[in-house]
mmCIF file of all heavy atoms in Angstrom:
data_model
loop_
_atom_site.group_PDB
_atom_site.id
_atom_site.type_symbol
_atom_site.label_atom_id
_atom_site.label_comp_id
_atom_site.label_asym_id
_atom_site.label_seq_id
_atom_site.Cartn_x
_atom_site.Cartn_y
_atom_site.Cartn_z
ATOM 1 N N THR A 49 7.888 12.799 -8.434
ATOM 2 C CA THR A 49 8.146 14.166 -8.897
ATOM 3 C C THR A 49 9.357 14.734 -8.167
ATOM 4 O O THR A 49 9.763 14.222 -7.116
ATOM 5 C CB THR A 49 6.939 15.072 -8.610
ATOM 6 O OG1 THR A 49 6.670 15.048 -7.197
ATOM 7 C CG2 THR A 49 5.705 14.605 -9.363
ATOM 8 N N ASP A 50 9.919 15.792 -8.715
ATOM 9 C CA ASP A 50 10.929 16.565 -7.997
ATOM 10 C C ASP A 50 10.193 17.333 -6.910
ATOM 11 O O ASP A 50 9.349 18.183 -7.202
ATOM 12 C CB ASP A 50 11.632 17.515 -8.971
ATOM 13 C CG ASP A 50 12.696 18.368 -8.292
ATOM 14 O OD1 ASP A 50 12.835 18.299 -7.054
ATOM 15 O OD2 ASP A 50 13.384 19.122 -9.008
ATOM 16 N N THR A 51 10.482 17.032 -5.653
ATOM 17 C CA THR A 51 9.747 17.660 -4.557
ATOM 18 C C THR A 51 9.853 19.180 -4.591
ATOM 19 O O THR A 51 8.920 19.875 -4.150
ATOM 20 C CB THR A 51 10.251 17.115 -3.205
ATOM 21 O OG1 THR A 51 10.155 15.684 -3.219
ATOM 22 C CG2 THR A 51 9.440 17.654 -2.043
ATOM 23 N N ALA A 52 10.950 19.688 -5.131
ATOM 24 C CA ALA A 52 11.101 21.140 -5.237
ATOM 25 C C ALA A 52 10.074 21.751 -6.178
ATOM 26 O O ALA A 52 9.787 22.953 -6.104
ATOM 27 C CB ALA A 52 12.510 21.485 -5.708
ATOM 28 N N ASP A 53 9.514 20.939 -7.080
ATOM 29 C CA ASP A 53 8.443 21.392 -7.966
ATOM 30 C C ASP A 53 7.135 21.257 -7.187
ATOM 31 O O ASP A 53 6.480 20.213 -7.200
ATOM 32 C CB ASP A 53 8.415 20.544 -9.237
ATOM 33 C CG ASP A 53 7.453 21.065 -10.280
ATOM 34 O OD1 ASP A 53 6.465 21.730 -9.900
ATOM 35 O OD2 ASP A 53 7.668 20.802 -11.483
ATOM 36 N N ILE A 54 6.773 22.316 -6.509
ATOM 37 C CA ILE A 54 5.656 22.263 -5.568
ATOM 38 C C ILE A 54 4.346 21.885 -6.252
ATOM 39 O O ILE A 54 3.615 21.004 -5.767
ATOM 40 C CB ILE A 54 5.520 23.615 -4.832
ATOM 41 C CG1 ILE A 54 6.755 23.847 -3.948
ATOM 42 C CG2 ILE A 54 4.238 23.654 -4.003
ATOM 43 C CD1 ILE A 54 6.801 25.208 -3.301
ATOM 44 N N GLU A 55 4.039 22.519 -7.368
ATOM 45 C CA GLU A 55 2.753 22.275 -8.014
ATOM 46 C C GLU A 55 2.607 20.836 -8.490
ATOM 47 O O GLU A 55 1.571 20.201 -8.291
ATOM 48 C CB GLU A 55 2.553 23.248 -9.188
ATOM 49 C CG GLU A 55 2.460 24.707 -8.771
ATOM 50 C CD GLU A 55 1.332 24.957 -7.771
ATOM 51 O OE1 GLU A 55 0.283 24.285 -7.867
ATOM 52 O OE2 GLU A 55 1.504 25.814 -6.888
ATOM 53 N N ARG A 56 3.644 20.298 -9.142
ATOM 54 C CA ARG A 56 3.562 18.922 -9.638
ATOM 55 C C ARG A 56 3.491 17.927 -8.485
ATOM 56 O O ARG A 56 2.792 16.924 -8.550
ATOM 57 C CB ARG A 56 4.760 18.605 -10.537
ATOM 58 C CG ARG A 56 4.706 19.266 -11.900
ATOM 59 C CD ARG A 56 5.816 18.768 -12.797
ATOM 60 N NE ARG A 56 5.678 17.336 -13.079
ATOM 61 C CZ ARG A 56 6.669 16.456 -13.012
ATOM 62 N NH1 ARG A 56 7.881 16.850 -12.630
ATOM 63 N NH2 ARG A 56 6.463 15.193 -13.310
ATOM 64 N N THR A 57 4.227 18.209 -7.412
ATOM 65 C CA THR A 57 4.211 17.306 -6.262
ATOM 66 C C THR A 57 2.856 17.327 -5.575
ATOM 67 O O THR A 57 2.318 16.271 -5.207
ATOM 68 C CB THR A 57 5.333 17.667 -5.276
ATOM 69 O OG1 THR A 57 6.590 17.604 -5.960
ATOM 70 C CG2 THR A 57 5.353 16.703 -4.099
ATOM 71 N N VAL A 58 2.289 18.501 -5.386
ATOM 72 C CA VAL A 58 0.953 18.594 -4.791
ATOM 73 C C VAL A 58 -0.062 17.827 -5.636
ATOM 74 O O VAL A 58 -0.885 17.071 -5.119
ATOM 75 C CB VAL A 58 0.522 20.074 -4.657
ATOM 76 C CG1 VAL A 58 -0.977 20.180 -4.342
ATOM 77 C CG2 VAL A 58 1.329 20.764 -3.569
ATOM 78 N N THR A 59 0.015 17.995 -6.949
ATOM 79 C CA THR A 59 -0.918 17.304 -7.840
ATOM 80 C C THR A 59 -0.803 15.800 -7.703
ATOM 81 O O THR A 59 -1.810 15.086 -7.603
ATOM 82 C CB THR A 59 -0.660 17.719 -9.303
ATOM 83 O OG1 THR A 59 -0.917 19.117 -9.444
ATOM 84 C CG2 THR A 59 -1.566 16.946 -10.258
ATOM 85 N N GLN A 60 0.440 15.295 -7.681
ATOM 86 C CA GLN A 60 0.603 13.847 -7.608
ATOM 87 C C GLN A 60 0.209 13.304 -6.235
ATOM 88 O O GLN A 60 -0.418 12.242 -6.145
ATOM 89 C CB GLN A 60 2.030 13.430 -7.940
ATOM 90 C CG GLN A 60 2.156 11.920 -8.134
ATOM 91 C CD GLN A 60 3.504 11.504 -8.649
ATOM 92 O OE1 GLN A 60 4.422 11.299 -7.860
ATOM 93 N NE2 GLN A 60 3.636 11.354 -9.961
ATOM 94 N N VAL A 61 0.559 13.998 -5.164
ATOM 95 C CA VAL A 61 0.146 13.551 -3.828
ATOM 96 C C VAL A 61 -1.378 13.497 -3.755
ATOM 97 O O VAL A 61 -1.962 12.529 -3.243
ATOM 98 C CB VAL A 61 0.697 14.485 -2.731
ATOM 99 C CG1 VAL A 61 0.069 14.142 -1.372
ATOM 100 C CG2 VAL A 61 2.205 14.389 -2.645
ATOM 101 N N TYR A 62 -2.027 14.519 -4.273
ATOM 102 C CA TYR A 62 -3.488 14.578 -4.266
ATOM 103 C C TYR A 62 -4.077 13.398 -5.037
ATOM 104 O O TYR A 62 -5.027 12.748 -4.580
ATOM 105 C CB TYR A 62 -3.948 15.897 -4.874
ATOM 106 C CG TYR A 62 -5.443 16.112 -4.828
ATOM 107 C CD1 TYR A 62 -6.067 16.579 -3.677
ATOM 108 C CD2 TYR A 62 -6.243 15.848 -5.942
ATOM 109 C CE1 TYR A 62 -7.447 16.771 -3.627
ATOM 110 C CE2 TYR A 62 -7.613 16.039 -5.908
ATOM 111 C CZ TYR A 62 -8.200 16.492 -4.750
ATOM 112 O OH TYR A 62 -9.564 16.691 -4.712
ATOM 113 N N GLN A 63 -3.505 13.101 -6.211
ATOM 114 C CA GLN A 63 -3.988 11.975 -7.019
ATOM 115 C C GLN A 63 -3.798 10.652 -6.291
ATOM 116 O O GLN A 63 -4.693 9.794 -6.301
ATOM 117 C CB GLN A 63 -3.255 11.948 -8.364
ATOM 118 C CG GLN A 63 -3.606 13.105 -9.285
ATOM 119 C CD GLN A 63 -2.694 13.184 -10.497
ATOM 120 O OE1 GLN A 63 -1.595 12.609 -10.515
ATOM 121 N NE2 GLN A 63 -3.120 13.908 -11.513
ATOM 122 N N LEU A 64 -2.639 10.467 -5.668
ATOM 123 C CA LEU A 64 -2.370 9.231 -4.936
ATOM 124 C C LEU A 64 -3.323 9.073 -3.753
ATOM 125 O O LEU A 64 -3.828 7.982 -3.487
ATOM 126 C CB LEU A 64 -0.916 9.211 -4.456
ATOM 127 C CG LEU A 64 0.145 9.041 -5.550
ATOM 128 C CD1 LEU A 64 1.535 9.357 -4.995
ATOM 129 C CD2 LEU A 64 0.112 7.629 -6.129
ATOM 130 N N ALA A 65 -3.574 10.172 -3.055
ATOM 131 C CA ALA A 65 -4.488 10.117 -1.907
ATOM 132 C C ALA A 65 -5.900 9.791 -2.366
ATOM 133 O O ALA A 65 -6.598 8.991 -1.741
ATOM 134 C CB ALA A 65 -4.462 11.446 -1.155
ATOM 135 N N LYS A 66 -6.341 10.402 -3.459
ATOM 136 C CA LYS A 66 -7.680 10.120 -3.982
ATOM 137 C C LYS A 66 -7.799 8.678 -4.448
ATOM 138 O O LYS A 66 -8.868 8.068 -4.378
ATOM 139 C CB LYS A 66 -8.006 11.080 -5.128
ATOM 140 C CG LYS A 66 -8.299 12.505 -4.684
ATOM 141 C CD LYS A 66 -9.499 12.558 -3.763
ATOM 142 C CE LYS A 66 -9.804 13.967 -3.292
ATOM 143 N NZ LYS A 66 -10.933 14.002 -2.324
ATOM 144 N N ALA A 67 -6.690 8.104 -4.935
ATOM 145 C CA ALA A 67 -6.702 6.706 -5.370
ATOM 146 C C ALA A 67 -6.756 5.752 -4.183
ATOM 147 O O ALA A 67 -7.084 4.572 -4.349
ATOM 148 C CB ALA A 67 -5.471 6.406 -6.213
ATOM 149 N N GLY A 68 -6.418 6.251 -2.981
ATOM 150 C CA GLY A 68 -6.509 5.420 -1.784
ATOM 151 C C GLY A 68 -5.235 5.268 -0.998
ATOM 152 O O GLY A 68 -5.183 4.485 -0.046
#
Side-chain angles (χ1 to χ4, degrees):
T49 58
D50 180 355
T51 305
D53 188 333
I54 294 174
E55 295 303 326
R56 287 188 64 226
T57 302
V58 167
T59 297
Q60 191 172 86
V61 171
Y62 184 81
Q63 291 170 342
L64 290 167
K66 287 299 179 183

